[in-house]
Amino acid sequence: KLAKDAPLDEIISKYSKPPKIKSMKEIHNKNDSFMIQPFEYDQNVPDTKPKPINYGSPYTDRCDGLHLVMPCSPTYMSVDHKPLWPHIYGLIAHLKEKCDKGDANYGDLKATIDACSGVPRNMDSLNKLVTELYSDNHFKQFMSTTLSKMCELVLYLDKIWTQPPPLLPRKTNCSVTMSQRQAACLLACSFFCLFQPRNHSKGYENYQHVNFDGLFEAGPSTKIEKLRCILHYFHRITEKMPTGVITFQRFVLEKKDFPQWPSINEPLSDLYLTTDKRIEDIPNTLQVDFANEYIGGGVLGGGCVQEEIRFVICPEMLVSLLLCERMEKNECIYLIGCERFSSYKGYANTFQFDSDYRDQTPKDHWGRKWCHLVAMDAVYFNDPPIQYHPKEIERELLKAYTSFLPQSADEDSYFAIATGNWGCGAFNGDRQLKAIIQLMAASAARRPIIYAAFGDKKLVASFAYIYEELKTHQVKVADLFYMLREYNGQRKRPSVFKYLLERMKSIEIETTNF
Ligand code: AR6
């Protein structure tokens, strides 16, 4: 019995209407921060620019450990205790002047980045990209136009941002909403390596590295391709600044709401399988990011698998690295509204920037593209057999359930989940086990699932088969939970799907005996 690819468009339109959201003005929760003035997006006037909150008033710093330390913060000091912003401002303004005159070369860029942080850096990957791989015209265009405008974004930092955004620390339900321009401004600061290095900062032990220096360093060709995507983003947004809005939202599932798997008698959700569509190409769904507990994983270093690729083709997602502390097992992070700018080919060590991508996703009434990504981190199994232990299965179930839970009780919050081989690449998971875990979590959350198997036709066929059998036998979430427990107890384990099939056959025999 071979599964056919599902007619995805039909499925998506059946399940996925954009969820209703309150107007910005109706939200009065101190944990939901708006870095722009509340406004209502009108698709007839798509170029209306969101304004920063307190627009026009001077920058107010918040140096309380709860907000991002901005490069323009008066508390951001050099080792000899001098404020760094005037120094940085001068260097970036000087570089911009050179760019505008058409005089700037790669050496000027490197000297500026080194001088801003006072640390000379290896920037061989960036050097190779702009001086060797770019054509002469591309190089000129980058140096005299894109780079100049990136400098401008930094120089306007304390106007584009009138106060720093709050951090999204562990154990708090909180969100930050900002304009795409504000995101671009932060990313320009990361490009010039202007953020305080976090490895030496107290209180930031559980945050990601945020400057782009790791990407600039010598390394595999995939690093250069990731940089190519990011510079393509800067090219696009400096040519025409997008006017949309994005949200980063951290969700914590309270202990009292943890699912009690043995008593979840939900039937299995609808399931659709596809071999050739990728998650990012399945619109109007909750798309899963196969994340690291430190969001973004190795995106600013050598990593180049699902999460890292997603973040470089949609670079606004990189802002989450600045804001989000490491995720706990009962937490996930939503990235809402981020735009896609690049297409790619290859994967992992064959990854390459392919071409420009025009993202036509419609917007909600906050001005956010109707694109919901959820970052959920699986466990890395150094010793794969451990993953069948009930404790590990419960951890993965909890993470998937936390991430799949609809954000409101409205019917339209139950839109489909687009996922795939979560935890089964870099993290060594068993595809069959993880497929069942995700099916259980989606069923407990009462949402349909679209499973993008990334070319694995065998998995699609066997998953479709086992799913039909499970449905025929009216297997519920709790039944699967018990079956997985028993599976772990088997002395000689067949594959997970095979075991489930055997169990269902034995149920048939048991029931026909009565
Ligand atoms: N759409 C659907 N499936 C995909 C896609 C895609 N775009 N890309 C890859 N796959 P992996 P993990 C499939 O290894 O094991 C990162 O460094 C493909 O079969 O990215 O959870 C994170 O930051 C692939 O083998 O996820 C974490 O540190 C499988 O999904 C770590 O990797 C798993 O992709 C997470 O590793």
Side-chain angles (χ1 to χ4, degrees):
K1 187 169 165 187
L2 268 180
K4 284 221 169 67
D5 273 10
L8 275 185
D9 295 345
E10 264 171 50
I11 291 152
I12 291 163
S13 58
K14 176 170 161 201
Y15 287 111
S16 304
K17 291 172 244 126
K20 278 190 224 73
I21 47 169
K22 287 184 180 164
S23 95
M24 285 187 190
K25 284 192 185 125
E26 279 175 275
I27 296 188
H28 300 290
N29 177 349
K30 70 174 176 31
N31 284 343
D32 293 315
S33 306
F34 289 90
M35 309 316 292
I36 47 171
Q37 294 177 13
F39 84 116
E40 196 70 18
Y41 172 74
D42 177 354
Q43 59 183 6
N44 299 317
V45 206
D47 286 335
T48 311
K49 295 186 183 115
K51 286 202 181 78
I53 40 163
N54 305 326
Y55 180 61
S57 42
Y59 177 82
T60 328
D61 204 39
R62 298 269 163 86
C63 110
D64 51 8
L66 302 174
H67 291 77
L68 181 65
V69 179
M70 298 285 252
C72 61
S73 164
T75 62
Y76 188 20
M77 304 278 190
S78 63
V79 271
D80 51 352
H81 300 289
K82 292 202 183 101
L84 272 167
W85 182 236
H87 170 69
I88 291 171
Y89 191 95
L91 290 163
I92 302 283
H94 179 64
L95 178 64
K96 177 169 163 42
E97 229 175 86
K98 282 197 132 186
C99 292
D100 291 345
K101 281 194 202 136
D103 284 350
N105 57 34
Y106 167 75
D108 298 312
L109 171 58
K110 177 168 179 3
T112 307
I113 294 178
D114 286 349
C116 282
S117 55
V119 194
R121 297 171 192 278
N122 173 317
M123 297 191 1
D124 289 357
S125 290
L126 179 66
N127 184 8
K128 183 160 183 191
L129 175 62
V130 298
T131 63
E132 288 177 35
L133 302 178
Y134 277 178
S135 65
D136 282 355
N137 275 346
H138 198 164
F139 174 77
K140 273 192 205 123
Q141 196 260 341
F142 172 69
M143 281 291 167
S144 57
T145 314
T146 310
L147 192 59
S148 162
K149 292 198 173 150
M150 287 166 70
C151 290
E152 199 171 289
L153 278 169
V154 174
L155 298 175
Y156 280 117
L157 173 62
D158 55 1
K159 311 275 180 308
I160 296 173
W161 285 91
T162 48
Q163 61 187 63
L167 296 166
L168 305 180
R170 277 185 289 171
K171 302 185 171 59
T172 46
N173 272 306
C174 47
S175 74
V176 188
T177 295
M178 64 185 73
S179 65
Q180 285 184 284
R181 182 164 182 248
Q182 287 175 321
C185 176
L186 296 179
L187 294 176
C189 292
S190 286
F191 175 85
F192 289 106
C193 305
L194 303 182
F195 287 102
Q196 195 173 31
R198 285 176 165 179
N199 40 357
H200 305 306
S201 313
K202 224 176 137 270
Y204 285 97
E205 298 80 7
N206 290 307
Y207 283 83
Q208 265 277 34
H209 184 74
V210 292
N211 290 321
F212 289 177
D213 48 341
L215 260 187
F216 297 160
E217 269 174 23
S221 66
T222 48
K223 241 187 199 181
I224 300 183
E225 295 301 319
K226 290 197 292 180
L227 262 178
R228 216 194 264 274
C229 293
I230 293 176
L231 292 190
H232 176 68
Y233 156 80
F234 280 118
H235 164 68
R236 280 273 308 278
I237 57 118
T238 51
E239 215 176 30
K240 184 171 190 296
M241 182 59 75
T243 54
V245 169
I246 57 179
T247 297
F248 300 94
Q249 182 184 347
R250 189 176 194 110
F251 173 68
V252 187
L253 186 72
E254 302 292 333
K255 206 152 187 203
K256 66 175 177 39
D257 300 324
F258 281 16
Q260 300 306 316
W261 297 102
S263 51
I264 297 185
N265 283 316
E266 287 297 324
L268 301 184
S269 287
D270 289 350
L271 168 74
Y272 300 91
L273 294 147
T274 168
T275 36
D276 42 41
K277 281 255 190 213
R278 297 196 170 188
I279 291 172
E280 60 274 24
D281 297 322
I282 309 177
N284 300 3
T285 54
L286 178 70
Q287 300 175 342
V288 176
D289 162 21
F290 303 156
N292 189 285
E293 60 184 333
Y294 289 88
I295 197 164
V299 62
L300 298 181
C304 198
V305 283
Q306 194 248 11
E307 174 166 56
E308 289 90 352
I309 293 175
R310 186 65 197 265
F311 278 44
V312 297
I313 60 172
C314 308
E316 289 155 350
M317 291 178 178
L318 293 168
V319 172
S320 64
L321 277 71
L322 279 160
L323 303 177
C324 299
E325 197 172 13
R326 182 167 68 78
M327 279 183 274
E328 300 271 349
K329 61 177 193 260
N330 57 332
E331 296 183 337
C332 65
I333 295 166
Y334 297 100
L335 298 89
I336 305 170
C338 297
E339 183 168 348
R340 177 168 167 191
F341 292 88
S342 303
S343 290
Y344 68 96
K345 52 188 180 195
Y347 181 73
N349 54 8
T350 59
F351 171 78
Q352 277 184 315
F353 167 82
D354 189 26
S355 58
D356 181 40
Y357 181 91
R358 298 281 154 168
D359 187 340
Q360 305 296 347
T361 311
K363 289 179 176 175
D364 65 19
H365 65 242
W366 289 15
R368 301 180 304 189
K369 286 200 174 283
W370 167 205
C371 169
H372 290 227
L373 185 82
V374 63
M376 63 182 223
D377 54 305
V379 172
Y380 167 64
F381 292 110
N382 190 20
D383 177 20
I386 287 189
Q387 65 189 300
Y388 308 109
H389 288 190
K391 199 170 121 266
E392 301 299 333
I393 291 181
E394 282 197 50
R395 190 279 178 197
E396 301 297 63
L397 276 170
L398 177 64
K399 176 63 69 165
Y401 178 78
T402 303
S403 311
F404 294 169
L405 207 58
Q407 287 300 292
S408 90
D410 291 343
E411 195 198 329
D412 53 14
S413 293
Y414 288 75
F415 53 91
I417 297 156
T419 187
N421 305 331
W422 172 56
C424 300
F427 277 4
N428 288 338
D430 171 337
R431 289 185 182 187
Q432 297 190 359
L433 175 65
K434 277 288 201 293
I436 296 295
I437 287 176
Q438 294 187 86
L439 178 61
M440 288 168 69
S443 307
R446 300 196 194 139
R447 291 173 84 161
I449 220 178
I450 300 172
Y451 194 99
F454 203 68
D456 188 344
K457 290 206 167 79
K458 225 170 121 192
L459 181 74
V460 166
S462 54
F463 195 11
Y465 187 85
I466 188 83
Y467 176 75
E468 288 304 324
E469 291 292 322
L470 293 168
K471 285 299 264 188
T472 312
H473 288 85
Q474 297 179 2
V475 168
K476 307 277 190 318
V477 172
D479 301 328
L480 280 173
F481 181 75
Y482 283 118
M483 289 185 204
L484 290 181
R485 280 237 154 138
E486 289 161 9
Y487 178 77
N488 177 55
Q490 299 298 300
R491 268 204 320 139
K492 214 166 158 253
R493 292 192 201 106
S495 76
V496 171
F497 287 173
K498 213 162 174 197
Y499 180 73
L500 295 178
L501 265 185
E502 283 169 12
R503 283 292 288 117
M504 278 178 292
K505 282 213 186 95
S506 65
I507 294 170
E508 254 169 47
I509 294 164
E510 279 163 28
T511 45
T512 44
N513 281 346
F514 281 100

